[in-house]
Amino acid sequence: MTRVPRGYIARRRRTKMRSFASNFRGAHLRLNRMITQQVKRAFVSSHRDRGRQKRDFRRLCITRINAATRIYKVFDSYSKLIHNLYKKKLILNRKMLAQVAVSNPNNLYTISNKIKIIN
């Protein structure tokens, strides 16, 4: 039986997978079957960890705000600060509040005074 020259589609697919695996090491970089397995695994991990990263940063912001409110005696706790912010309709997200709490605690005082004055 004569040799049939195959098309370019499979080669294109493999080179595309190989381009994703350019930073891998060892057999994960060299063997096609291993490349496809590891690339699929990497995509699953990246998809999962995008949500996890958002969750972790939200937790970090909450921890920073809570620590600042307790250290600088702005409020008794994080939950009371957030509750009063919502009650007075001051729109500041947790990321902004954490940045203010870390960089300039005096501004945290002014925010808390705004909350306390408007009754």
Side-chain angles (χ1 to χ4, degrees):
M1 192 169 277
T2 59
R3 178 183 172 275
V4 177
R6 296 293 305 266
Y8 59 93
I9 294 169
R11 186 170 54 249
R12 251 195 340 206
R13 186 182 68 238
R14 289 190 196 105
T15 53
K16 185 178 178 182
M17 281 298 215
R18 196 173 286 270
S19 70
F20 287 129
S22 62
N23 294 326
F24 295 171
R25 292 175 61 182
H28 297 171
L29 174 66
R30 290 177 182 84
L31 305 178
N32 283 324
R33 189 179 298 172
M34 195 77 86
I35 286 172
T36 55
Q37 290 172 359
Q38 291 304 312
V39 166
K40 283 180 186 175
R41 185 174 177 178
F43 282 152
V44 166
S45 295
S46 68
H47 182 266
R48 181 194 63 226
D49 291 337
R50 273 195 293 274
R52 189 170 289 172
Q53 183 184 29
K54 292 179 183 74
R55 197 177 320 144
D56 289 343
F57 273 108
R58 183 183 166 95
R59 287 179 64 191
L60 178 66
C61 290
I62 289 171
T63 305
R64 284 179 173 170
I65 297 167
N66 194 17
T69 54
R70 289 172 191 264
I71 288 171
Y72 301 116
K73 306 279 193 273
V74 176
F75 273 98
D76 293 339
S77 67
Y78 161 82
S79 61
K80 289 183 181 175
L81 174 70
I82 294 295
H83 174 71
N84 287 325
L85 278 173
Y86 274 106
K87 210 161 60 172
K88 304 304 179 200
K89 294 182 177 135
L90 283 175
I91 301 171
L92 289 171
N93 62 14
R94 286 162 180 81
K95 189 175 177 182
M96 289 165 46
L97 274 175
Q99 193 66 36
V100 167
V102 169
S103 64
N104 196 351
N106 292 333
N107 290 345
L108 199 61
Y109 276 122
T110 58
I111 292 169
S112 68
N113 290 337
K114 289 276 188 189
I115 294 171
K116 289 176 184 173
I117 290 171
I118 307 169
N119 279 328

